[in-house]
Amino acid sequence: MNPIAARIGGFIVALALLSGCATQSPTTRATSTPPPVDALVANGETPALLDPALLENIPVTVKSETTYSPPVFAVWPQFGKPKIDAAISAYYRQHIAKSADQGADSDPGKAPAELNLDWHLIGSSPSMIGIVADGYRDNGESLQLNWRTLWFDLSTDTVYDNAGLVDETATKAALQVAASQRVVQVPSLDLSKVGANPVADASLLAFSPSGALIVGFEACQVAACDAGRVTITVAKAEADKVLREPGQRAQVATQAPRDPVGANLPTATPPAPSGAPANGSTRVNVNCKKAKCIALTFDDGPGPYTTKLLGYLRQSQTPATFFMLGQQVQSFPKVARAVAADGHEVGVHTWSHPQLTRLSPAQIDRQLNSTINVLQAKAGVTPTLLRPPYGATNATVRAEAKKAGLAVILWNVDTLDWKTLSTSKTIAAAVHDTRRNSIILVHDIHPTSVEAVPGIISALRAKGYTFVTVTQLIGKPLPGKQYRSGKS
Ligand code: NI
């Protein structure tokens, strides 16, 4: 399968600053079976992704940027270490700015390009963490893929570039040998294309579970563009000769990953049984024919601020509906379980937040079912609702939602909390726009939004409204049917 097409399907793209090569290969739209959503795809070996829940015991927060038009979804981790956090944020912000600049040059008659940036864990230990910054930009005609590894030591607040991990000269020689042994797969492979120092320009430097060194390049950097992203693997025996001491730590963090605080992989807590929540105190029986019902909904989590939000909802005995991203559930499984255990409704917001109207049916199916599966496994719930990212739906999205057993839930009150990032404006918008049967949209990945929730609840209760879950508001959800409020 065309590796770029495969990557579109999985929506596991990586992103990197292209140091010499600004052009990207035009790609055809993918129609073949997409790969799993949680795998990196390239022409060559890719690093295995670790369970991001390995980081659950350290204070990882999330920075995010979301806009609807142009569609931008970017989320990246922060570790409370000034140098590491600055390096990670700078990397993502540079890509967001670059995409905006490209958008300014494009034909105003065309749909705006979609930008999606996320991250994956590839190494974890008390002395080294590795992530792949991962992303795509889709302008409707072609897809730009980027990836870049970031390696850092939390204990010393140190970020390592490629030269800090390996001896560049020795690695270049080892890469040339390894490349010469794989020309059958990539006939056009030519390391000299990228310049005198391919190791410095490589956007991915990682390890296989066996300890081999994987060096990766963007499309067009070291081979013909149609070869897609290319990786070259240096066997462990040769890799061991070129690693510097921090590189050895990165290798160990890949081969024997551990919680960065030193514990072993957290053991999976058995999920709450489906059906009745364990202590679902927030949900009450309400007759919405009599009561002025409204539904408060939260998108893009669970995340670092969701636990605080759960406290507010518990204190005020307010049921809500959470539309979760599969990749966030994987990173914050305990929080996802706690949401369900508190009696809130849990729905699907896709795995990685793509604009579904740009995807093939098979790709949509993968986005929905992977998220349903992770919610069943980690939170013990079987969702019946889909909130499509950006509210983007069409007949194909509704048909795939129907097949997956999901009703499509939009909203009629947009607090624009993602745009204002203002607690007072978020409260004001919710209170001003809400009517009987409203579905209110808030995002629990912004701390300003979470802080708005007590004010929203008290102001709307004072106006006589009763908070219910989406299913309580609309009645039994019909798969494939689209709802914007309780009256549709
Ligand atoms: Ni969203």
Side-chain angles (χ1 to χ4, degrees):
M1 168 177 10
N2 175 329
I4 294 182
R7 176 55 193 89
I8 307 171
F11 272 104
I12 302 301
V13 225
L15 94 126
L17 298 171
L18 292 174
S19 35
C21 169
T23 45
Q24 292 283 330
S25 65
T27 63
T28 50
R29 317 308 294 179
T31 50
S32 50
T33 306
V37 286
D38 52 353
L40 293 164
V41 177
N43 195 327
E45 188 175 6
T46 58
L49 304 186
L50 302 180
D51 185 347
L54 268 169
L55 305 183
E56 250 200 331
N57 294 329
I58 61 170
V60 180
T61 57
V62 176
K63 284 253 187 220
S64 61
E65 287 217 6
T66 319
T67 65
Y68 291 1
S69 186
V72 174
F73 182 79
V75 60
W76 64 94
Q78 297 280 272
F79 296 87
K81 305 290 179 187
K83 287 182 193 158
I84 293 168
D85 289 354
I88 297 172
S89 287
Y91 180 75
Y92 282 83
R93 292 200 191 286
Q94 200 161 348
H95 272 272
I96 294 166
K98 186 177 159 199
S99 179
D101 285 350
Q102 284 178 286
D105 297 336
S106 69
D107 180 348
K110 283 191 203 159
E114 176 192 359
L115 180 68
N116 186 300
L117 309 174
D118 56 25
W119 64 283
H120 307 286
L121 186 68
I122 56 165
S124 178
S125 80
S127 64
M128 192 65 84
I129 287 180
I131 65 170
V132 181
D134 193 14
Y136 64 82
R137 186 176 189 274
D138 179 358
N139 69 7
E141 290 167 357
S142 65
L143 197 75
Q144 289 178 7
L145 302 182
N146 302 100
W147 59 0
R148 162 99 161 248
T149 41
L150 292 156
W151 289 96
F152 42 86
D153 179 353
L154 291 180
S155 65
T156 58
D157 194 12
T158 306
V159 181
Y160 294 96
D161 62 10
N162 291 354
L165 298 170
V166 298
D167 179 302
E168 289 179 289
T169 307
T171 306
K172 180 181 174 183
L175 274 183
Q176 279 164 336
V177 172
S180 70
Q181 291 166 348
R182 56 156 298 171
V183 286
V184 175
Q185 291 95 328
V186 188
S188 57
L189 182 57
D190 177 6
L191 279 174
S192 66
K193 256 188 95 177
V194 74
N197 193 342
V199 178
D201 287 336
S203 48
L204 180 126
L205 199 150
F207 299 89
S208 74
S210 67
L213 176 66
I214 302 172
V215 179
F217 299 90
E218 301 294 358
C220 314
Q221 264 194 305
V222 295
C225 292
D226 62 8
R229 296 200 295 213
V230 173
T231 64
I232 300 166
T233 300
V234 176
K236 183 173 188 300
E238 299 307 310
D240 286 346
K241 296 174 193 165
V242 305
L243 294 184
R244 297 186 189 282
E245 186 276 332
Q248 292 169 354
R249 282 189 272 132
Q251 187 187 40
V252 170
T254 306
Q255 285 196 273
R258 293 161 70 202
D259 181 316
V261 297
N264 288 320
L265 185 74
T267 48
T269 311
S274 4
N279 55 346
S281 55
T282 55
R283 215 182 290 196
V284 289
N285 286 327
V286 178
N287 182 350
C288 290
K289 287 187 178 132
K290 291 180 183 163
K292 283 166 63 182
C293 289
I294 54 176
L296 192 52
T297 67
F298 297 99
D299 284 13
D300 297 353
Y305 316 111
T306 306
T307 302
K308 191 164 194 194
L309 170 60
L310 287 179
Y312 290 146
L313 296 174
R314 211 176 291 134
Q315 276 166 20
S316 59
Q317 292 289 294
T318 306
T321 303
F322 289 75
F323 292 100
M324 296 187 179
L325 291 171
Q327 62 184 14
Q328 291 295 110
V329 174
Q330 212 181 26
S331 291
F332 297 94
K334 286 182 201 158
V335 182
R337 264 197 303 281
V339 171
D342 271 7
H344 302 295
E345 184 158 29
V346 176
V348 170
H349 195 40
T350 73
W351 184 267
S352 54
H353 212 275
Q355 189 171 327
L356 293 176
T357 50
R358 295 172 187 248
L359 302 190
S360 71
Q363 290 165 347
I364 297 169
D365 176 78
R366 181 69 82 170
Q367 283 281 333
L368 304 186
N369 281 300
S370 59
T371 310
I372 291 170
N373 291 343
V374 79
L375 283 173
Q376 287 172 333
K378 304 290 184 186
V381 294
T382 298
T384 58
L385 310 176
L386 165 67
R387 158 99 15 107
Y390 311 107
T393 65
N394 59 19
T396 309
V397 172
R398 285 187 289 273
E400 292 308 310
K402 186 174 183 180
K403 273 201 265 176
L406 304 172
V408 177
I409 309 298
L410 301 177
W411 58 87
N412 64 357
V413 176
D414 190 345
T415 60
L416 299 177
D417 60 325
W418 52 273
K419 194 175 190 177
T420 65
L421 296 177
S422 156
T423 295
S424 59
K425 285 180 183 167
T426 300
I427 296 171
V431 174
H432 182 264
D433 296 345
T434 294
R435 303 286 179 269
R436 186 172 188 167
N437 287 317
S438 281
I439 297 177
I440 306 165
L441 171 62
V442 187
H443 298 80
D444 58 318
I445 52 168
H446 304 301
T448 44
S449 304
V450 168
E451 293 310 317
V453 169
I456 292 172
I457 292 169
S458 59
L460 290 173
R461 282 228 169 102
K463 289 181 147 198
Y465 292 110
T466 301
F467 288 92
V468 295
T469 64
V470 165
T471 290
Q472 286 178 303
L473 187 73
I474 65 176
K476 187 175 165 50
L478 296 176
K481 186 175 172 183
Q482 191 163 298
Y483 303 80
R484 266 179 201 285
S485 69
K487 281 187 286 191
S488 38

